[in-house]
Amino acid sequence: ESVRVSTAAEVVPNMSRLVVASFYGCASQVMFILYFVMTSAFDIALQTVVFAGATMHLYCAERGLLEYLKVLMVSVDETCGERLYRSLDHAIGAALGAPLKLAIFHASFTCLLP
């Protein structure tokens, strides 16, 4: 009966594999979380800058885009240009007003929900 005694030379490589595998697993999770947080923060910052810039330019404009379009349409053909401008203005107003009317309609009936 011989009892085998494990030496430090046999135990250390197995422990080092376990330590490296654990460290790699934790480090990869931390790097993934850091990557996700940084890309989300960059995306939020970029969208905020674009939204604020576009809003500021629209707010500070002396005339709207439709006014420039009206000048172009009327310069091409006065009667058809004016009529096309009015229909375009009406269509844009309807496209922006429809979701607002729908939201108001649904909001007015939320009191009926149980």
Side-chain angles (χ1 to χ4, degrees):
E1 294 179 37
S2 67
V3 177
R4 186 159 191 264
V5 177
S6 59
T7 61
E10 293 175 353
V11 173
V12 169
N14 291 333
M15 275 175 73
S16 65
R17 284 189 201 119
L18 179 66
V19 169
V20 168
S22 299
F23 178 74
Y24 178 76
C26 292
S28 64
Q29 289 294 326
V30 168
M31 292 301 287
F32 176 73
I33 290 170
L34 185 63
Y35 170 77
F36 180 73
V37 167
M38 293 304 290
T39 54
S40 296
F42 177 75
D43 187 40
I44 289 169
L46 184 64
Q47 286 185 17
T48 302
V49 167
V50 169
F51 175 75
T55 303
M56 188 67 173
H57 282 294
L58 288 173
Y59 182 71
C60 292
E62 292 179 17
R63 294 184 350 182
L65 178 64
L66 280 179
E67 294 299 321
Y68 291 111
L69 197 57
K70 179 181 180 181
V71 170
L72 178 68
M73 289 179 192
V74 170
S75 66
V76 172
D77 185 6
E78 192 167 329
T79 57
C80 289
E82 184 69 34
R83 191 173 52 201
L84 183 62
Y85 168 75
R86 280 195 310 272
S87 353
L88 185 62
D89 189 34
H90 177 71
I92 290 174
L96 294 177
L100 183 61
K101 289 177 188 175
L102 188 63
I104 290 170
F105 174 77
H106 285 284
S108 63
F109 291 105
T110 55
C111 62
L112 298 178
L113 294 174

